[in-house]
């Protein structure tokens, strides 16, 4: 009929002709649920599937508020296996929200397309996130925080918590809304811009600087070993310092690093260091 306000989709369920739109508060709530509970209920069967589904609930409730069946189907759609890095992976949640909005407004988007998008992007985003967040940002902040704590500054752990919180919230918020705004093109936009390489290179250089500072400040190895050559006392520590200050701590770091690279277990490395230190101290070689 001419005045009828309902149309039929291919599944023969009535859908309102009025466009359904997600409100900003729904997106913010969805983002908060993902960034805070995305890794809740981790399990071997679906990994972050339950957390992702929970983050989609505000979106689904808004789009299908008058259709209980559609809400149920949408929730099931997001209970599949899913696993990525939370912060950079927030972009996938944003893309999923965008696709759900289009689907609710009649776009020909099958369930397989949404799940396929999640499956295709969760690997690359996990790779980027683990490299930047776990290997660089967290390592740098931990290095600075540990150095402050070891020097007796109580602000060390506070700095780490604040730094990670700011990084997590700002990055995940930007990623989520970038994903919602540009849809599936947002990931291509990020990867094609070269920004990932610039960020990793910059943080990598900063991380090396922080690591060098930690080795110098926190590894204290000296040698009291001396030789009397024709009445002249030769102090080996003075010779090492003239060649390179903190030479022994640096050498110990590289030896430990090589042992780790060769796959030696941490407990074995600790045992070796303890034994060398004990024997060196008893022989008067190490101080």
């Amino acid at each position: 009929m001419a005045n009828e306000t309902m149309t039929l989709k291919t599944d023969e369920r009535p859908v309102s002709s009025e466009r359904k739109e997600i409100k900003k508060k729904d997106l913010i709530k969805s983002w908060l649920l993902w960034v805070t509970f995305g890794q809740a209920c981790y399990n071997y069967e679906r990994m972050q599937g339950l957390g992702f589904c929970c983050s989609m609930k505000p979106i689904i409730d808004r789009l299908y508020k008058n259709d209980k069946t559609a809400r149920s189907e949408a929730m099931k759609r997001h209970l599949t296996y899913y696993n990525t890095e939370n912060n950079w992976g927030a972009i996938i949640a944003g893309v999923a929200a965008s696709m759900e909005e289009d689907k609710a407004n009649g776009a020909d988007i099958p369930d397989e397309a949404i799940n396929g998008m999640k499956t295709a992007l969760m690997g690359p985003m996990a790779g980027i996130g683990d490299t930047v967040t776990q290997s660089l940002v967290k390592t740098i902040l931990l290095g600075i925080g540990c150095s402050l704590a070891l020097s007796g500054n109580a602000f060390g752990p506070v700095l780490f918590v604040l730094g990670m919180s700011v990084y997590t919230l700002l990055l995940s918020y930007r990623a989520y809304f970038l994903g919602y705004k540009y849809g599936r093109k947002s990931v291509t936009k990020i990867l094609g811009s070269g920004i990932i390489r610039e960020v990793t290179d910059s943080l990598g250089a900063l991380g090396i600087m922080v690591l060098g500072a930690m080795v110098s400040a926190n590894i204290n190895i000296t040698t009291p070993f001396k030789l009397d050559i024709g009445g002249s006392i030769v102090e080996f520590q003075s010779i090492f310092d003239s060649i390179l200050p903190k030479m022994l701590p640096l050498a110990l770091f590289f030896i430990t690093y090589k042992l780790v690279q060769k796959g030696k277990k941490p407990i074995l490395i600790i045992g070796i260091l303890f034994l060398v230190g004990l024997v060196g101290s008893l022989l008067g070689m190490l101080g």
Side-chain angles (χ1 to χ4, degrees):
M1 292 186 296
N3 60 349
E4 188 173 0
T5 59
M6 310 296 284
T7 58
L8 292 179
K9 293 176 64 177
T10 54
D11 59 1
E12 297 185 354
R13 273 203 311 273
V15 178
S16 173
S17 60
E18 182 181 354
R19 177 170 176 79
K20 302 174 182 178
E21 293 186 354
I22 303 172
K23 295 185 178 181
K24 181 72 175 288
K25 65 179 182 180
D26 301 322
L27 295 170
I28 292 176
K29 187 175 180 180
S30 173
W31 159 70
L32 280 173
L33 285 172
W34 168 249
V35 77
T36 52
F37 298 109
Q39 299 188 76
C41 299
Y42 239 125
N43 61 82
Y44 288 109
E45 181 183 3
R46 299 181 184 182
M47 300 301 282
Q48 296 174 329
L50 188 59
F52 192 94
C53 181
C54 178
S55 71
M56 288 292 106
K57 189 175 185 303
I59 307 301
I60 294 169
D61 287 346
R62 173 66 61 184
L63 295 174
Y64 306 108
K65 58 183 178 181
N66 297 320
D67 192 337
K68 184 177 180 180
T69 302
R71 286 201 308 272
S72 176
E73 291 178 356
M75 294 294 284
K76 291 179 182 178
R77 184 159 56 241
H78 292 292
L79 277 174
T80 55
Y81 178 92
Y82 184 76
N83 189 38
T84 193
E85 196 271 338
N86 257 41
N87 305 306
W88 289 85
I91 195 171
I92 303 176
V95 175
S98 176
M99 294 180 71
E100 285 289 354
E101 186 176 37
D102 290 340
K103 182 179 178 67
N105 283 287
D108 185 17
I109 302 177
D111 293 359
E112 294 76 14
I114 298 177
N115 286 323
M117 177 277 299
K118 291 165 58 181
T119 302
L121 297 184
M122 66 183 185
M125 289 297 102
I128 295 171
D130 289 343
T131 300
V132 177
T133 303
Q134 307 296 336
S135 302
L136 297 174
V137 175
K138 185 175 289 187
T139 301
I140 291 171
L141 290 175
L142 274 174
I144 298 173
C146 288
S147 295
L148 290 173
L150 288 171
S151 65
N153 192 331
F155 186 67
V158 176
L159 176 65
F160 171 72
V161 173
L162 287 177
M164 282 303 300
S165 297
V166 170
Y167 167 81
T168 297
L169 293 175
L170 290 182
L171 175 64
S172 61
Y173 181 88
R174 178 60 178 162
Y176 184 97
F177 281 89
L178 186 67
Y180 174 74
K181 181 178 180 180
Y182 293 104
R184 285 166 286 185
K185 296 180 180 178
S186 55
V187 178
T188 306
K189 185 179 180 69
I190 290 179
L191 296 177
S193 65
I195 189 173
I196 301 300
R197 179 176 294 276
E198 294 176 4
V199 169
T200 52
D201 289 347
S202 300
L203 290 176
L206 180 59
I208 293 173
M209 293 172 61
V210 171
L211 182 60
M214 287 186 64
V215 170
S216 175
N218 300 314
I219 303 179
N220 296 313
I221 302 176
T222 58
T223 176
F225 186 68
K226 301 176 183 179
L227 283 179
D228 187 348
I229 302 177
S232 178
I233 303 299
V234 178
E235 296 183 358
F236 277 73
Q237 185 61 47
S238 299
I239 296 175
F240 291 148
D241 289 340
S242 65
I243 298 173
L244 178 66
K246 298 287 184 178
M247 183 176 180
L248 290 179
L250 183 63
L252 178 63
F253 168 76
F254 279 117
I255 291 172
T256 306
Y257 179 72
K258 285 296 182 182
L259 290 174
V260 172
Q261 273 193 325
K262 290 182 178 180
K264 303 300 181 182
K265 295 183 178 180
I267 189 67
L268 176 62
I269 297 174
I270 293 173
I272 292 173
L273 295 178
F274 178 80
L275 184 62
V276 171
L278 178 62
V279 173
S281 178
L282 292 175
L283 295 177
M285 302 289 292
L286 296 175

